[in-house]
Amino acid sequence: MKIWSRLKKLSIKQLLNLGVVFIQRPLLIRPTLKATSKTMSISQKEFGSAQHKNGKPNAFRHALWNILLANVAYTKNEAAATDWAEQVTTLHEKLAPNAPLETVMDLHNNMVGRQFFSETLDLSEKELIQFLKEKSSNAKQITKVEDVERYPNELVYI
């Protein structure tokens, strides 16, 4: 599993940061791993290796991951659920840093995915995928970090 190979590469400090997040909600460790795996599986099925580039499929994957993470944390409080998704995905960006433009794009798409969470609560998996495919097909291209500010509610890609 790619998650375990990635964990092995983390420094002690990075592992401690990860531990701090998960110690707050230990019952979410397994569901978070499952949501992450499901995100990768769906994204691979829908887009193949294109999801690993910085295009629209990558925007889809980041939004989907945030929605699925919020879903596993959701009980009755949407804010707490999206907070969990934010903690996990922001930590991921810190543990696996990219170039500045890629990082801004990923963090932005994570945020937009969390915004979509409440809109997608009642959707089936098939409907959710279709919803996100439509949103990602309309993603806006950015060329510099400041560009994301022009698209506060839309997915972006490089």
Side-chain angles (χ1 to χ4, degrees):
M1 184 177 228
K2 288 185 179 185
I3 294 170
W4 298 119
S5 64
R6 181 160 294 194
L7 285 174
K8 290 179 191 177
K9 295 177 185 177
L10 298 179
S11 70
I12 297 296
K13 183 179 179 184
Q14 290 172 321
L15 285 169
L16 287 172
N17 287 337
L18 186 63
V20 166
V21 169
F22 282 107
I23 204 158
Q24 295 170 25
R25 299 193 62 190
L27 296 177
L28 289 177
I29 294 172
R30 188 173 179 85
T32 295
L33 292 173
K34 284 185 175 185
T36 301
S37 180
K38 186 174 186 176
T39 298
M40 298 306 289
S41 176
I42 291 170
S43 297
Q44 183 66 34
K45 180 181 175 197
E46 296 296 326
F47 298 105
S49 62
Q51 65 161 315
H52 297 294
K53 297 182 179 18
N54 292 316
K56 293 178 180 184
N58 181 273
F60 171 94
R61 180 171 48 105
H62 279 267
L64 176 64
W65 190 29
N66 277 267
I67 292 169
L68 294 181
L69 287 173
N71 275 329
V72 301
Y74 180 65
T75 52
K76 294 179 182 175
N77 186 331
E78 287 182 29
T82 56
D83 182 58
W84 176 253
E86 181 177 12
Q87 285 182 54
V88 171
T89 58
T90 300
L91 179 61
H92 167 75
E93 294 304 325
K94 288 179 184 175
L95 297 179
N98 289 316
L101 185 58
E102 292 172 351
T103 299
V104 166
M105 174 191 66
D106 289 348
L107 290 170
H108 177 82
N109 289 333
N110 291 343
M111 177 196 67
V112 172
R114 292 188 300 273
Q115 290 173 358
F116 293 157
F117 173 65
S118 62
E119 292 179 58
T120 61
L121 269 172
D122 296 324
L123 299 183
S124 68
E125 183 176 300
K126 184 177 179 179
E127 291 168 328
L128 172 60
I129 292 167
Q130 189 56 43
F131 173 87
L132 287 177
K133 284 176 93 171
E134 182 179 317
K135 294 292 188 181
S136 62
S137 73
N138 293 317
K140 306 301 181 192
Q141 187 170 24
I142 60 171
T143 57
K144 51 188 183 286
V145 169
E146 304 80 43
D147 289 347
V148 296
E149 296 169 12
R150 296 184 1 217
Y151 309 110
N153 304 309
E154 297 178 77
L155 296 171
V156 298
Y157 69 100
I158 299 173

